[in-house]
Amino acid sequence: MKIFVRGWLCFLACTSIAQSDELEPLRYNNPGLVVDLGVGLWAWPIPCDADGDGDFDLIVSCPDKPSNGVWFFENATGDTKIAKMPVFKPAKLLSKTVHYVMPSYVDGTMRVMSPGVEYVNFTKTGTNERRTLPIEAKFHKPLGRQTKGPKVRHNQWRYTDFDGDGSLDLIVGIEDWSDYGWDDAWDSNGNWQNGPLHGWIYMFRNRGSTDKPNYAEPVFVEADGKRIDVFGCPSPNFGDFDGDGDLDLICGEFLDSFTYFENIGSRYSPRYAAGQRLKTEQGKPLAMDLQMIVPVALDWDRDGDLDLIVGDEDGRVAFVENVSRNSAENKGPTFSSPRYFQQEAETLKCGALATPVGFDWDGDGDMDILGGNTAGFIELFENLSGPKVASPRWNRPVAIQVDGNNFRIMAGPNGSIQGPAEAKWGYTTLNIADWDSDGLPDLILNSILGRIVWLRNIGTRQYPQMSPPQFIEVEWPVEQPKLAWGWLKPNGKGLLTQWRTTPVVFDFNADGMLDIAMLDQEGYLAFFERARQEGKLILQPPRRAFVDETGRPVQLNPGAAGKSGRRKLCVTDWDGDGKFDFLLNSANADFLKQVDFQNGKWTMKNVGTLAKKNIEGHDVSPAVVDFGGDGVPDFLGGAEDGRLYFMKNLRVGSN
């Protein structure tokens, strides 16, 4: 027995080392395909002619993990005056990066800063060469009264000649969280009891020259006699947006919109009117698809007015064209709806914090991928290669639809435990199974809301079509347990549990009926057993049937409120011993090996991570796939950067 155990542990250790080098992003393998341009979580765009060939390229700073870096996307099409939406080549890494990297365009040149530093030779060396600025990076002191949560986040430094005296002043946008606090600040009716996010703008007036600055103490920039205050992440862009010769201001925010402040003073004595939301040429509010937006003003199409190049939370970058000349209203700048830039396809990307599942969705015999993400979509990557192709060719992602529209879950103004700043996040995490035993695969999913829902397939095996979501109901013998936080309450029998956790659908007790395993209201890994009652299938209340080697129920997250949930799981027989195991989110994935079953309880042992490579930012969502059809589950992990990381399972196949 000792020899067997040592041999088994040696096998695990050896495969972990051997597999770690193979944990790599899944590639499209589809020459000629174009997809949305994207980096990882958080896109901070720096549009410029980076290679000096006369056309605009894109440099994008991405501060997340595992795709941290300053990324250069070369324009492969040409002059943006002719082709406003060029196709870009796959990104090249210039350097590692930090938070809040932003460009300034002054006197025909581009200068790039982050808090307290300016970067030298940025288009060639990214953030590797720098000089320190004469102002403390953390000069702003939080002004609110909340004691928990972050105090200051976005800290955006830019140059502009604010007052037209020929010397560059320093502008800093600050996102202050100290009134907002963090999470669990709702009353019983869903009203937020803390304050808002603040997006303030400081101006350091330069009393010296551009070459030898002498900055005065900072002052807040005001509009209509009051301190400018947008909802976080102000991304200040000073420019002549209305064509009258002075500098106006456009700000972004932590959510998705833009505010315009008209300069009603002069070039040399600015005075700003109250802010107005920007609109499209159709008169609708201008808004991005996601949130945590970062706009940068630049005449992208070289037609004489300032457009907006906008980074989105999921790593995409959009062109928002200034079409004021086409506007009949002529009341300040007007912009077109955002259009997302495209690149030559390289590696699969499913938004941010991707949650993939491998499944033959269209019934053609090969394994496709469906994935959720922060935005609340579910996207399908179709396998174009056919069965048993180890390195498939993939199509670009398409969103799963319900009633002809892209299905999307969003928190809305009060659906997130962490407050109204998360209104446009959905955090979909899913499983695929024939829940109603009609021969068609359905979707079972959780989200930012913690409500477990079922999208029933009402189409065909080859052409799935999803019904509107229905609650997964549990036959509670008494009132359903409530979460100890938040204002959301159960809807009848509908299961409400911890947010952002995967509902694992599997016939755990081998009785021919699909069950669910997932976190209960206190963060324990619970078994929701399926049974027949009066001729229909029901889901029974949770039982803490998964225990560790000491016999204690497995609690995957003891945290409360915003720290709760967040555990991603999949079920598989990873080691080929005939018993189901779990893979659990970690640096890549922890292997929870089933080592015993007695008295209706499964004993699970955490053997450790599958690989040494760390692809975790906030999260990794584990899945298994078998593209080559050898009967062995391989690892597929959805990372914070939205990419899908593949690793071969080195155990011997069953075919």
Side-chain angles (χ1 to χ4, degrees), residues 333-593:
T334 304
F335 291 85
S336 65
S337 297
R339 289 180 283 172
Y340 287 93
F341 288 120
Q342 302 291 290
Q343 69 167 83
E344 298 170 1
E346 185 180 32
T347 55
L348 276 65
K349 179 172 165 57
C350 185
L353 276 71
T355 58
V357 177
F359 194 86
D360 180 9
W361 184 244
D362 51 12
D364 63 357
D366 55 31
M367 183 167 282
D368 310 299
I369 298 171
L370 281 84
N373 51 36
T374 59
F377 294 109
I378 299 173
E379 298 185 335
L380 167 66
F381 294 83
E382 183 186 1
N383 186 335
L384 301 174
S385 295
K388 298 187 177 182
V389 177
S391 298
R393 182 170 61 95
W394 299 96
N395 207 347
R396 64 180 292 151
V398 294
I400 296 296
Q401 295 194 330
V402 170
D403 291 336
N405 298 309
N406 292 345
F407 175 75
R408 186 177 187 183
I409 290 178
M410 288 189 288
N414 56 10
S416 172
I417 187 62
Q418 292 184 161
E422 302 196 347
K424 294 196 79 170
W425 280 330
Y427 290 106
T428 40
T429 178
L430 63 143
N431 224 287
I432 303 173
D434 182 6
W435 187 247
D436 56 358
S437 303
D438 65 353
L440 300 176
D442 309 307
L443 296 173
I444 309 295
L445 63 138
N446 192 8
S447 67
I448 197 169
L449 303 174
R451 300 192 188 277
I452 314 306
V453 298
W454 167 35
L455 301 187
R456 181 170 176 252
N457 188 347
I458 56 176
T460 66
R461 185 67 186 90
Q462 289 72 36
Y463 300 99
Q465 181 181 344
M466 312 317 293
S467 70
Q470 308 170 51
F471 291 120
I472 292 290
E473 296 188 340
V474 176
E475 292 296 324
W476 305 99
V478 293
E479 187 178 12
Q480 179 177 175
K482 296 181 177 63
L483 293 167
W485 52 83
W487 73 278
L488 290 176
K489 300 297 185 289
N491 190 316
K493 298 179 181 179
L495 177 56
L496 173 66
T497 187
Q498 295 198 5
W499 70 334
R500 299 165 62 174
T501 65
T502 311
V504 180
V505 184
F506 185 72
D507 183 6
F508 289 96
N509 54 6
D511 64 356
M513 291 178 285
L514 292 173
D515 313 299
I516 290 179
M518 68 176 306
L519 269 62
D520 66 13
Q521 289 86 353
E522 294 180 339
Y524 287 92
L525 180 58
F527 173 48
F528 295 78
E529 184 177 2
R530 208 88 174 275
R532 291 192 182 276
Q533 185 180 88
E534 298 178 355
K536 67 176 183 178
L537 289 173
I538 65 164
L539 198 62
Q540 300 186 93
R543 181 163 59 88
R544 292 171 182 172
F546 303 102
V547 298
D548 63 21
E549 292 174 288
T550 70
R552 291 177 297 186
V554 173
Q555 189 178 26
L556 294 180
N557 191 347
K563 294 181 179 179
S564 68
R566 302 172 183 262
R567 301 317 304 262
K568 310 298 191 298
L569 295 123
C570 76
V571 63
T572 183
D573 180 7
W574 181 255
D575 54 8
D577 65 356
K579 300 190 292 290
F580 72 80
D581 312 300
F582 287 109
L583 300 183
L584 171 69
N585 62 305
S586 65
N588 41 77
D590 281 356
F591 174 30
L592 301 188
K593 174 179 170 58

Side-chain angles (χ1 to χ4, degrees), residues 28 35-44 58 60-62 64 67 71-73 88-92 311-318 340-351 641-643:
Y28 272 103
V35 297
D36 287 351
L37 177 147
V39 292
L41 182 73
W42 301 328
W44 290 71
L58 272 179
V60 185
S61 176
C62 174
D64 89 322
S67 288
W71 298 93
F72 165 50
F73 293 87
F88 293 87
K89 293 184 178 297
K92 296 180 180 179
D312 232 335
E313 181 251 358
D314 65 352
R316 294 182 297 165
V317 180
Y340 287 93
F341 288 120
Q342 302 291 290
Q343 69 167 83
E344 298 170 1
E346 185 180 32
T347 55
L348 276 65
K349 179 172 165 57
C350 185
D641 63 2
R643 291 187 170 80

Side-chain angles (χ1 to χ4, degrees), residues 253 267 293 302 326 344 418 429 503 590 633:
E253 62 174 24
R267 179 68 183 92
I293 65 171
R302 305 179 196 253
N326 303 330
E344 298 170 1
Q418 292 184 161
T429 178
D590 281 356

Side-chain angles (χ1 to χ4, degrees), residues 269-319:
S269 183
R271 184 165 60 91
Y272 293 96
Q276 300 180 11
R277 290 291 196 183
L278 286 180
K279 294 183 178 180
T280 68
E281 52 194 327
Q282 290 78 31
K284 298 179 179 180
L286 177 64
M288 297 297 293
D289 194 26
L290 306 182
Q291 61 175 75
M292 289 178 70
I293 65 171
V294 182
V296 173
L298 177 80
D299 184 7
W300 177 260
D301 53 9
R302 305 179 196 253
D303 66 352
D305 53 30
L306 290 172
D307 310 298
L308 298 175
I309 306 300
V310 189
D312 232 335
E313 181 251 358
D314 65 352
R316 294 182 297 165
V317 180
F319 172 47

